[in-house]
Amino acid sequence: MRNISVLGSTGSIGTQTLEVIRQNPDDFKAVTLTCGSNIDLLYEQILEFKPLAVSVNDEKKALELKDRLKNTADIKTEVLSGEQGVIDCATIPEADTVLGAIVGVAGLKPTYEAILKGKDIALANKETLVAGGDIIMPLVKKMGVELLPVDSEHCAIWQCLWGEKKENLDRILITASGGPFRGYSRDQLKDVTCENALNHPTWKMGGKITIDSSTMMNKGLEVIEASHLFGVEVDRVDVVVHPQSVIHSMIRLRDGSVLAQMGKPSMILPIMVALYFPDRGPRLLEEFDPFDPKCCNLTFEKCDTSVFGLLDLAYEAGRIKGFMPCVLNAANEAAVGAFLNGKIGFLDIEDTVRKVYEEFLPRNRSDNDLDDILGISREAFVRAGELIGK
Ligand code: NAD
Ligand code: MG
């Protein structure tokens, strides 16, 4: 039995994690749950999973939830709130593994604190590694905990690497669906709407990552994420656009062997691989059928970075390092938020991120601690907001 803290339990990854826990009650227990503000769903989750504690980021909503739970005498769940509430949930002594499924850099501090308390981390929250990978990776090593990748591509790469010596890894080939605007020209992108961008061809995910997939920033973030997780420079990670999303990623070894991990696009499997590691869980998904027309015509193409410029900018940030990946991420979080709220157009996302990136570049520094990174992240987020407001 493994006790799991689910950070971001009301989101796309969070609810799928609870589905894995629901289906395997002898293997896992959800000991804490956290969310931003969706207390309606969190309330249902409390009744079902009876966690020891939950936390709601929005303080007012947390009070409302407390009130609602007064009528449920058999529920002993403690209700916490704010940033400290998430940290308390992530570091609760009863938890063995923390499943990080908060969206954005908001997941960084709770992840850091959980590692300090010796928890294993199953990580979906890629922004944590993009912004704070230089802090998180050495801490993982120092504390001797497991960092288990949940992002599907990284879970695939990780599985391909099992049993391989690190020095035999030549390149990582990370696959990308190409998003809803694959094949579009820059001109065609001028008029796309938020609704168009949210219509992802192969994956059903939260809003922020769906927009990131439509700009290809998601892949840029994932290239940086892979460089931290697998200890390679970003230039040893190639992006392969593969619209069917059947191959979840590949590695090429020294002798030229290429290994791939395949399956239907579903996050249930990566979540299970992480939670059951080093064992394997039962099969929850329909069996993979290689004769299914959706699975047998596999194609590969290059990403056109003259159209999707954020991918190149992410490579640049990954090469330069220091706090630039953090700046890139924060500016992107602000710009994507503004796009989702209808404040800016699609191409303004790239424009805003690039402007903030260029402004911060002359100040770039390495050897940042957690407070430096969180400070720069806030600053870049605010600066992006100012540029958007203009
Ligand atoms: P989502 O928007 O569906 O869910 C986000 C969760 O985080 C929600 O529970 C929300 O309440 C919570 N949250 C948001 N802001 C918070 C804050 N400030 N403090 C505390 N909690 C907060 O997002 P998602 O699609 O589940 O993605 C979560 C993370 O996993 C992201 O980093 C994303 O890139 C990554 N990821 C998602 C998928 C996917 O299929 N959805 C795949 C790979 C990686
Ligand atoms: Mg992914």
Side-chain angles (χ1 to χ4, degrees):
M1 171 69 74
R2 233 176 270 189
N3 287 341
I4 316 290
S5 277
V6 186
L7 310 185
S9 67
T10 58
S12 162
I13 294 289
T15 51
Q16 293 181 82
T17 300
L18 290 180
E19 180 60 24
V20 169
I21 296 176
R22 178 181 293 121
Q23 304 253 357
N24 299 282
D26 296 337
D27 298 331
F28 305 113
K29 174 161 174 46
V31 287
T32 66
L33 306 173
T34 82
C35 79
S37 59
N38 185 355
I39 55 167
D40 292 337
L41 182 54
L42 187 63
Y43 178 75
E44 298 297 323
Q45 294 177 345
I46 293 171
L47 297 190
E48 180 179 354
F49 293 97
K50 302 185 173 56
L52 299 171
V54 298
S55 181
V56 185
N57 195 45
D58 183 321
E59 317 257 348
K60 263 202 200 139
K61 295 268 181 191
L63 288 176
E64 227 180 292
L65 177 67
K66 255 188 203 166
D67 221 42
R68 227 184 270 185
L69 284 168
K70 273 188 189 144
N71 308 325
T72 45
D74 60 322
I75 301 287
K76 305 274 180 283
T77 303
E78 189 180 357
V79 178
L80 307 166
S81 63
E83 198 187 53
Q84 189 56 43
V86 185
I87 293 173
D88 291 346
C89 282
T91 55
I92 195 167
E94 288 82 355
D96 304 309
T97 302
V98 172
L99 188 301
I102 289 179
V103 58
V105 75
L108 175 55
K109 191 146 191 231
T111 306
Y112 177 90
E113 297 290 341
I115 299 169
L116 268 183
K117 285 280 182 317
K119 313 291 182 196
D120 289 331
I121 309 289
L123 194 68
N125 173 219
K126 66 195 78 184
E127 296 90 344
T128 276
L129 279 184
V130 172
D134 290 338
I135 298 163
I136 293 291
M137 295 314 295
L139 191 64
V140 163
K141 200 166 172 201
K142 183 175 157 205
M143 297 305 299
V145 302
E146 296 284 355
L147 183 54
L148 312 153
V150 172
D151 208 348
S152 60
E153 296 78 1
H154 305 77
C155 180
I157 296 159
W158 180 49
Q159 290 178 74
C160 290
L161 281 167
W162 287 355
E164 298 292 348
K165 287 185 182 155
K166 190 169 180 264
E167 59 267 30
N168 288 334
L169 174 65
D170 175 22
R171 295 190 82 73
I172 289 175
L173 310 176
I174 191 164
T175 52
S177 71
F181 306 136
R182 183 175 62 88
Y184 276 43
S185 67
R186 194 87 187 162
D187 218 40
Q188 284 172 300
L189 286 182
K190 275 189 194 138
D191 302 320
V192 300
T193 63
C194 194
E195 198 187 326
N196 301 146
L198 284 173
N199 189 18
H200 195 278
T202 48
W203 293 95
K204 291 277 158 276
M205 312 176 284
K208 196 252 174 189
I209 182 175
T210 307
I211 301 304
D212 283 345
S213 301
S214 73
T215 62
M216 294 302 289
M217 179 57 123
N218 183 49
K219 215 45 56 178
L221 299 177
E222 290 186 353
V223 166
I224 300 173
E225 181 187 13
S227 79
H228 285 297
L229 281 170
F230 307 113
V232 298
E233 295 299 320
V234 288
D235 287 316
R236 282 174 63 201
V237 184
D238 294 326
V239 171
V240 178
V241 175
H242 165 51
Q244 298 79 21
S245 302
V246 168
I247 293 183
H248 298 315
S249 277
M250 302 175 257
I251 61 167
R252 197 172 76 200
L253 297 167
R254 199 159 73 101
D255 62 3
S257 294
V258 175
L259 308 185
Q261 191 266 332
M262 303 170 70
K264 288 200 166 164
S266 161
M267 291 307 295
I268 291 283
L269 196 63
I271 292 166
M272 288 199 32
V273 173
L275 293 187
Y276 275 101
F277 180 78
D279 206 344
R280 289 277 183 179
R283 182 160 59 76
L284 295 190
L285 300 172
E286 217 183 300
E287 205 159 337
F288 177 72
D289 173 10
F291 305 110
D292 178 337
K294 276 197 226 115
C295 298
C296 61
N297 293 315
L298 304 186
T299 60
F300 306 99
E301 55 197 72
K302 283 204 161 135
C303 175
D304 185 349
T305 50
S306 68
V307 177
F308 298 99
L310 283 174
L311 181 56
D312 269 351
L313 193 63
Y315 268 99
E316 199 184 309
R319 268 176 219 122
I320 290 175
K321 303 188 177 112
F323 62 51
M324 291 317 291
C326 168
V327 167
L328 176 92
N329 176 67
N332 183 60
E333 284 191 32
V336 170
F339 177 68
L340 281 167
N341 290 326
K343 285 193 194 149
I344 59 172
F346 185 77
L347 288 178
D348 298 329
I349 301 174
E350 180 178 333
D351 219 46
T352 307
V353 174
R354 199 175 285 284
K355 277 188 190 140
V356 175
Y357 185 92
E358 278 160 13
E359 270 187 35
F360 279 69
L361 188 56
R363 293 167 49 198
N364 189 28
R365 262 194 342 251
S366 47
D367 294 327
N368 300 290
D369 64 18
L370 184 68
D371 286 338
D372 298 332
I373 285 294
L374 292 174
I376 279 289
S377 183
R378 265 192 301 273
E379 216 186 300
F381 187 90
V382 168
R383 183 63 190 134
E386 284 167 5
L387 291 171
I388 288 162
K390 270 186 185 163

